[in-house]
Amino acid sequence: MSKTYLQEKITGTEGQVVMINGQGNAEAQSKDFGLKPRLSISVESGAVVTVSGNGETLTQTSSGAVLNFDLSGYGTYTAVATKSGKTSNTATVKVDTVQIYEAELTFFPATITVTVPSGSTVTCTKGGVTQTKTSTGTAVFTVTETGTYALKATLDGQEAEDTATITSNGQSVSVTLAYVHIYGVQWDGSSSTVWSRTDESANFTNPVPAVNNGTGSSPFDNLMPWSGMVKSTDSAAGVLVSIPKFWYKWTRSGATMKLQIADKAVDGFSVSPAHQDRGDGSGERDMVYVGRYHCHTSNYKSQSGGKPKASITRSSARSSIHNLGSTIWQFDFAMLWTIYMLYLVEFADWNTQKTIGYGCGNNSGTENMGATDSMQYHTGTAKSSRSTYGVGCQYRWIEDLWGNVYDWVDGVYFSSSTIYGIKKPSSYSDTSGGTKIGTRPTSSGYISAWGTPTASGFEWALYPSAVVGSESTYITDYCNYYSSGVVLFCGGNYNQYQDRGLFYLNGNGSASNSSANFGCRLQKLP
């Protein structure tokens, strides 16, 4: 946009011929001769130009290169052109004296450059009009109007989608389409609880969980699989939280552990533990579900408004939960590690009581479930601060993973220091039929390192290998061992401890063990 003081005669609205020699005398001469400010628009022939402002709307059709509009007064004016269904850029000018203001209206083109693997078929669509190109590493589209364009790439059955928004003439927008998104974290094995972020999440900020039922945020909120973790109600099982299938990879180098999660299949990655083929004839599952609450004392459902079922053995909980339906089973080791992985990549910190909330309970007994029902955000604590103990912590809508009662963990059992795993739910057992997946420490303590599973198909089934940490270093949670212990429970109960976060593991119980602080949780494997 420019403005010009005339150095030649122009004709006023009443026919007077005047000389405008500069801004200093322009206003005075306009009063003497009735001149008006002028907006001079450069635009291609055939365009309909509309000028609006100061309470007036003026329209002309261009038959050449320039259109002149005499304006009635001062103020802010806008100019826009249309031609053959296309709209130009919009010019805005502040008119504050008598002079010629100049603007240019053009009908694009703008460009959208899509970076995507070579050989991909790429489409660019808006308003029912689609352009198609084959990528040579990039695909460049020329577009002729403002708005949002849908971009899609396909290659060997893979698909990737995004959008590009054009707001002005001549704009150049670049978009990268990825068939697989990978997010990662790495822990160096030191006493620090914090992981470093890698891959596409390398520059992500840490999530901010809710406090006191407030709001929260996470850079993973719109990313799969985390965004697919939502609440639903099942008539047989109660309130569930869905978990979409993902792909994971562990990489070990000395004490260093790297975990990566991908939203699609990729070479070198394995299907998430809870979704993998469990040998039950259902193959890989695209979606699994976990109970939002502990099992209810009256009916074993995942249900708010009553106390959790307690004082029950693992085998009794197993059969009672499965009585709810053919696809409903007790929470297992594969589901536990599925949640572990999602938490670790999102929060990059072993210490869940620090990052989300102390959890646990009232230090005296079980309480009604549903303390998080008023929470508007999926992760955080209903308490007044993260360092306030009590029921009402949740991760991605799953309530009290470390509070109110412990949860029995199925699909794993011990024989002294040996760990056995079972993937097929109908084969769950406390003492037999499992696959040897590793060994565990023969003493109790704060977890400081994790073993590497030795059995194919159980690469996810990590168990502590060293217990020399503390409540503020390494993993920050405790692992219990008794040589006679055969069953596992996890999380926290109603007692207030700083070693009872998400990663607390207790393998010291016999198959007949039950207690007022032992509960259970269900899962659905459709």
Side-chain angles (χ1 to χ4, degrees):
M1 183 69 61
S2 63
K3 54 188 179 181
T4 303
Y5 301 116
L6 294 179
Q7 301 300 323
E8 58 184 3
K9 68 180 182 179
I10 66 173
T11 303
T13 58
E14 298 179 2
Q16 299 95 335
V17 177
V18 300
M19 292 295 294
I20 304 296
N21 294 314
Q23 188 173 6
N25 63 5
E27 186 173 350
Q29 293 187 39
S30 70
K31 292 178 180 178
D32 291 340
F33 297 103
L35 287 178
K36 297 179 179 180
R38 176 177 294 173
L39 180 55
S40 182
I41 305 291
S42 298
V43 66
E44 66 182 64
S45 180
V48 178
V49 179
T50 301
V51 174
S52 302
N54 197 35
E56 64 179 326
T57 299
L58 307 172
T59 301
Q60 294 186 54
T61 300
S62 173
S63 59
V66 176
L67 281 177
N68 291 311
F69 292 83
D70 288 332
L71 309 177
S72 64
Y74 303 146
T76 299
Y77 285 81
T78 60
V80 65
T82 59
K83 182 181 179 181
S84 301
K86 300 175 183 178
T87 303
S88 73
N89 60 303
T90 299
T92 302
V93 60
K94 183 178 180 181
V95 176
D96 53 12
T97 187
V98 175
Q99 55 200 31
I100 295 177
Y101 294 82
E102 298 173 346
E104 181 180 12
L105 301 179
T106 57
F107 294 95
F108 291 78
T111 57
I112 300 173
T113 300
V114 180
T115 300
V116 67
S118 294
S120 299
T121 299
V122 189
T123 59
C124 177
T125 303
K126 181 179 183 296
V129 177
T130 298
Q131 299 182 60
T132 302
K133 295 195 174 183
T134 299
S135 171
T136 58
T138 60
V140 181
F141 297 94
T142 299
V143 297
T144 57
E145 57 184 88
T146 58
T148 299
Y149 292 79
L151 306 172
K152 182 177 181 179
T154 58
L155 179 66
D156 298 331
Q158 302 178 91
E159 294 185 354
E161 297 180 89
D162 205 341
T163 60
T165 300
I166 299 297
T167 59
S168 62
N169 166 62
Q171 187 179 2
S172 180
V173 174
S174 296
V175 176
T176 298
L177 295 182
Y179 293 116
V180 179
H181 296 283
I182 299 175
Y183 314 98
V185 286
Q186 182 169 292
W187 181 55
D188 62 6
S190 72
S191 62
S192 173
T193 68
V194 178
W195 300 55
S196 58
R197 298 189 182 277
T198 66
D199 300 279
E200 291 185 50
S201 54
N203 296 316
F204 282 10
T205 58
N206 290 328
V208 182
V211 175
N212 195 23
N213 297 335
T215 58
S217 64
S218 169
F220 293 84
D221 279 346
N222 295 317
L223 306 177
M224 288 292 281
W226 297 269
S227 62
M229 296 179 70
V230 297
K231 294 179 290 185
S232 63
T233 300
D234 181 272
S235 59
V239 184
L240 306 176
V241 176
S242 57
I243 303 179
K245 180 166 64 175
F246 60 88
W247 289 257
Y248 77 93
K249 181 180 181 180
W250 281 107
T251 305
R252 307 290 292 266
S253 178
T256 298
M257 302 171 63
K258 182 177 182 180
L259 171 62
Q260 295 166 289
I261 283 179
D263 62 354
K264 295 182 179 69
V266 60
D267 288 346
F269 283 60
S270 302
V271 173
S272 40
H275 304 81
Q276 66 182 315
D277 187 342
R278 291 169 171 263
D280 57 3
S282 295
E284 294 180 4
R285 291 168 166 89
D286 292 330
M287 191 75 73
V288 297
Y289 302 86
V290 63
R292 167 160 159 71
Y293 309 102
H294 301 290
C295 290
H296 197 278
T297 186
S298 66
N299 56 17
Y300 287 91
K301 289 187 177 183
S302 172
Q303 182 176 306
S304 179
K307 289 189 176 183
K309 184 67 180 179
S311 298
I312 187 170
T313 66
R314 186 171 79 165
S315 60
S316 293
R318 176 189 306 138
S319 59
S320 297
I321 290 171
H322 189 50
N323 284 338
L324 295 174
S326 61
T327 61
I328 302 171
W329 306 92
Q330 183 163 229
F331 185 80
D332 68 5
F333 202 40
M335 184 66 75
L336 181 64
W337 263 106
T338 296
I339 295 169
Y340 278 1
M341 291 181 187
L342 290 165
Y343 166 81
L344 285 171
V345 172
E346 182 171 11
F347 277 84
D349 197 317
W350 288 113
N351 194 339
T352 57
Q353 290 181 291
K354 175 187 71 176
T355 58
I356 296 177
Y358 275 14
C360 298
N362 58 16
N363 219 27
S364 61
T366 59
E367 300 175 67
N368 284 348
M369 296 174 291
T372 62
D373 286 356
S374 297
M375 287 185 65
Q376 56 187 309
Y377 190 63
H378 53 66
T379 300
T381 176
K383 298 302 178 182
S384 59
S385 71
R386 299 200 197 288
S387 57
T388 301
Y389 282 107
V391 296
C393 272
Q394 64 181 9
Y395 172 64
R396 293 276 164 185
W397 301 120
I398 311 170
E399 181 179 276
D400 286 331
L401 281 164
W402 57 97
N404 212 357
V405 288
Y406 298 119
D407 284 321
W408 283 118
V409 182
D410 230 329
V412 62
Y413 66 88
F414 308 105
S415 177
S416 187
S417 64
T418 304
I419 309 165
Y420 293 90
I422 301 172
K423 291 193 290 185
K424 187 178 180 180
S426 62
S427 298
Y428 288 156
S429 169
D430 290 340
T431 56
S432 65
T435 299
K436 181 179 178 180
I437 57 177
T439 59
R440 58 177 179 158
T442 54
S443 61
S444 300
Y446 288 90
I447 306 167
S448 55
W450 297 86
T452 301
T454 56
S456 175
F458 286 91
E459 292 82 2
W460 51 269
L462 280 66
Y463 203 82
S465 61
V467 286
V468 294
S470 71
E471 69 178 31
S472 61
T473 61
Y474 295 98
I475 297 16
T476 75
D477 288 335
Y478 209 77
C479 179
N480 290 83
Y481 169 83
Y482 284 175
S483 59
S484 60
V486 297
V487 290
L488 177 68
F489 58 86
C490 70
N493 64 354
Y494 48 74
N495 292 315
Q496 298 177 352
Y497 293 116
Q498 275 291 282
D499 61 0
R500 299 294 198 276
L502 178 62
F503 297 94
Y504 176 78
L505 297 168
N506 191 313
N508 65 6
S510 67
S512 61
N513 218 14
S514 69
S515 170
N517 56 19
F518 289 8
C520 50
R521 192 181 295 266
L522 61 77
Q523 62 186 23
K524 183 174 182 178
L525 306 176

